Amino acid sequence: RGESYGSREELRSRLVASGYREVALVEDPGDFALRGEILDVFSVASDRPLRIEWFDVQVERIRLFDAETQR
């Protein structure tokens, strides 16, 4: 929290270069979705995806969520 990670385009490029797939809804390991101020990413090393929420360029909140319900 509180960190800045550059532009969303830079983040998108880094995820794609790392082998992640951009999708509309994150459902499987290796997926990510970038929508406005929210990044959902499902790490291949985790059993649940992560939701990162920004305010401007700073990370405001990070939490796990359920891929089935998207909550």
Side-chain angles (χ1 to χ4, degrees):
R1 272 183 68 193
E3 295 289 323
S4 176
Y5 289 95
S7 76
R8 276 135 186 86
E9 278 308 312
E10 290 172 330
L11 183 56
R12 176 182 278 120
S13 294
R14 288 173 51 194
L15 286 165
V16 169
S18 296
Y20 284 85
R21 295 175 304 274
E22 187 168 11
V23 296
L25 290 175
V26 169
E27 296 177 315
D28 299 305
D31 288 350
F32 81 94
L34 188 55
R35 300 177 319 278
E37 302 293 316
I38 296 173
L39 167 67
D40 291 341
V41 62
F42 202 148
S43 169
V44 296
S46 180
D47 59 342
R48 292 177 63 198
L50 193 64
R51 180 161 288 154
I52 302 169
E53 299 174 35
W54 276 275
F55 179 75
D56 194 26
V57 295
Q58 200 168 54
V59 175
E60 186 172 80
R61 185 173 169 184
I62 301 172
R63 61 189 170 96
L64 294 170
F65 71 97
D66 185 319
E68 283 188 35
T69 65
Q70 297 290 305
R71 295 179 184 246

